[in-house]
Amino acid sequence: MMRRLILLRHAKADAHSAGGDRQRPLTKRGEEDARSVGRYLAEAGLAPDLAVASDARRAKRTLDLALEAFPREVEHRLDDEFYLATPDRLLDAVRQTPAEISTLLAIGHNPGFAELASALASDGEPEALTRMRSKYPTAALAVLDFDAEDWAMVGEGAGHLERFVTPGDLRGGIADEPD
């Protein structure tokens, strides 16, 4: 059985918020990128069975905008432990995914998402691996496939990077904005 993990970093957010880091809203460009990534996922047939996002405002908004692109309701929830989580914490959460879920979309933050994606991917298209490991910009997504009966079997070096896509790729190769 194949398990597919889609790691989506939240879209571009304002640098500051009066409500603190958890309350930072998306910028206009961030909202556009979140919608664009959602359309990409839907058009590429990458519909998740479950979507889990950090409870930070920017991650929740990225989730909401991305899911608008799917014709059917996608089961989703927020996880406060995803907020600025370490790769180990994120991997623990992935391993607790119910067995009936074959494709999981996770939305959260760097550096945890970039580090987790790099640790999980043992192979894939060399250029995509290099790009992912060198920069994981906002609204970038890594699609990782695992030959695993259960999510508990997902571990470091067990994944194949099926693709790595950034907002710049979706805008026709225009460079991604600095974070």
Side-chain angles (χ1 to χ4, degrees):
M1 172 132 199
M2 187 187 75
R3 303 289 168 179
R4 174 166 278 171
L5 174 62
I6 304 170
L7 293 173
L8 173 59
R9 185 176 173 201
H10 67 77
K12 183 110 177 125
D14 281 341
H16 304 286
S17 169
D21 187 64
R22 275 191 198 251
Q23 294 304 315
R24 291 173 41 212
L26 294 183
T27 63
K28 182 178 182 203
R29 180 62 160 272
E31 294 216 354
E32 291 168 5
D33 287 347
R35 284 187 184 96
S36 178
V37 165
R39 283 191 302 273
Y40 173 81
L41 289 169
E43 291 168 5
L46 296 169
D49 301 311
L50 173 66
V52 181
S54 159
D55 67 345
R57 181 178 178 185
R58 60 195 180 274
K60 181 184 180 313
R61 184 71 175 145
T62 300
L63 170 73
D64 292 342
L65 293 172
L67 292 185
E68 286 177 358
F70 293 96
R72 65 169 180 80
E73 177 81 19
V74 173
E75 181 183 347
H76 60 279
R77 63 182 173 81
L78 301 179
D79 186 333
D80 65 336
E81 291 188 37
F82 267 38
Y83 177 69
L84 303 180
T86 65
D88 288 340
R89 167 62 195 111
L90 293 167
L91 182 55
D92 285 345
V94 167
R95 288 178 173 157
Q96 293 172 29
T97 302
E100 64 270 10
I101 303 298
S102 60
T103 300
L104 173 66
L105 169 62
I107 301 174
H109 313 270
N110 266 0
F113 269 54
E115 292 171 4
L116 178 63
S118 290
L120 293 176
S122 64
D123 67 6
E125 196 277 316
E127 182 183 335
L129 280 165
T130 299
R131 287 177 57 228
M132 180 189 75
R133 289 178 173 149
S134 67
K135 185 175 182 197
Y136 206 113
T138 53
L141 65 93
V143 179
L144 296 148
D145 291 336
F146 302 87
D147 184 14
E149 292 286 322
D150 191 83
W151 286 100
M153 298 169 64
V154 169
E156 287 191 31
H160 168 80
L161 180 65
E162 197 275 330
R163 68 186 79 181
F164 180 68
V165 179
T166 70
D169 297 332
L170 300 178
R171 289 190 295 268
I174 296 171
D176 293 299
E177 290 183 5
D179 292 338

